[in-house]
Amino acid sequence: MSAARADSRPRRPDTDETAAPVLTRAFLETGGAVALARRDDPDGSFPSEVTRAASLDAFLKRRPPGDLWVFGYGSLIWNPAMKIAESRVATVTGWHRAFCLSMTAGRGTAARPGLALGLDRGGTCRGIAFRLSESDLASELPLLWQREMLLGGYVPQWVEVLDGDDAAFGQALTFTIDQNHRHYAGKLSQRARLERLATAAGSWGSAADYLFRTVEALRGHGIRDMALEETGKLVEAALLLSIWPQAA
């Protein structure tokens, strides 16, 4: 890879850089995420709206005092699709960002699963903390739950968020991976992980585009995740060389 290319955003050759994210706030309000997911995985088991609402209510009963923050470490950074009162770079400890969630819908299909990021145990993770206004919680959190709790595999948690001086400024809702879930993919080999990222696509877009946009968004906030950037370079090389056939 050339020196000029190495410092740029990895880019899938056939990806439209100007394409807007599919999961807009307005689209989520229609229940569109669920409808599209069912196209990708017709036999998949997706929680009902009632089940998701009960899950959200149960989680909020454990809400700590203070402002409600949401910690984003993947697509929430470049597409929060929520009403945001404030955002800031933040760090959480005890968790690290990893491609560990198998996606049979959205960023893949049942026939060719993709991958999404999750917070897996150990290490630290820098991302973006979003503060939601109290008056917006009733409208915004159900949309977030529809999006993040659709396939299963995530466990919502309250985590302490730290600023640039490692001082805690609040407790944030975030989505950690369930290592016992059937969608847990944290034990894939590097080759299998790269192949999924290079080839899978679903109704929300390709797994490769998800990866590339996340790398770009992190760097735009001054966050360098070197492991993720290296994954992006390897996936880009695989796409340019057509190592694996891509999803139609």
Side-chain angles (χ1 to χ4, degrees):
M1 188 178 301
S2 69
R5 187 62 174 169
D7 270 344
S8 65
R9 166 183 170 180
R11 171 50 54 196
R12 177 174 177 161
D14 60 351
T15 294
D16 179 1
E17 295 192 33
T18 65
V22 172
L23 298 184
T24 63
R25 184 180 182 282
F27 189 68
L28 289 169
E29 286 182 313
T30 70
V34 179
L36 289 182
R38 291 189 186 282
R39 295 185 196 174
D40 297 331
D41 189 358
D43 297 322
S45 177
F46 303 103
S48 67
E49 184 176 351
V50 171
T51 299
R52 288 197 308 272
S55 168
L56 175 57
D57 288 343
F59 181 75
L60 288 177
K61 288 179 180 178
R62 297 185 280 113
R63 178 185 171 182
D67 292 328
L68 193 147
W69 295 84
V70 176
F71 180 74
Y73 51 84
S75 63
L76 285 176
I77 297 175
W78 47 269
N79 181 32
M82 295 182 292
K83 294 179 181 178
I84 303 299
E86 178 187 355
S87 64
R88 56 195 298 187
V89 173
T91 301
V92 300
T93 61
W95 303 92
H96 68 280
R97 180 174 24 241
F99 275 106
C100 56
L101 179 66
S102 182
M103 295 285 284
T104 58
R107 296 285 173 178
T109 64
R112 181 175 283 183
L115 288 172
L117 292 164
L119 285 185
D120 213 342
R121 293 191 177 276
T124 63
C125 180
R126 292 186 74 205
I128 304 298
F130 301 99
R131 181 173 63 82
L132 277 57
S133 295
E134 203 69 27
S135 59
D136 290 331
L137 298 186
S139 63
E140 305 312 298
L141 289 180
L143 301 183
L144 180 65
W145 233 246
Q146 177 193 159
R147 169 183 177 168
E148 301 297 333
M149 299 295 283
L150 179 60
L151 297 178
Y154 284 139
V155 178
Q157 302 264 14
W158 294 107
V159 295
E160 188 174 61
V161 280
L162 310 177
D163 63 18
D165 296 320
D166 290 333
F169 63 87
Q171 294 284 325
L173 154 64
T174 197
F175 297 92
T176 65
I177 198 70
D178 180 356
Q179 293 185 348
N180 296 315
H181 197 277
R182 62 188 178 88
H183 281 292
Y184 180 62
K187 296 181 180 180
L188 288 178
S189 68
Q190 182 189 48
R191 179 180 175 83
R193 186 171 63 253
L194 293 175
E195 182 174 2
R196 286 201 188 193
L197 290 170
T199 63
S203 57
W204 302 354
S206 71
D209 189 58
Y210 171 92
L211 162 62
F212 298 153
R213 287 180 188 268
T214 301
V215 169
E216 180 188 41
L218 287 169
R219 293 181 70 168
H221 287 283
I223 302 171
R224 300 297 298 271
D225 185 323
M226 303 312 294
L228 202 68
E229 291 189 22
E230 181 62 22
T231 297
K233 292 176 183 178
L234 292 172
V235 170
E236 180 192 32
L239 290 167
L240 291 172
L241 296 173
S242 299
I243 292 176
W244 295 292
Q246 300 171 21

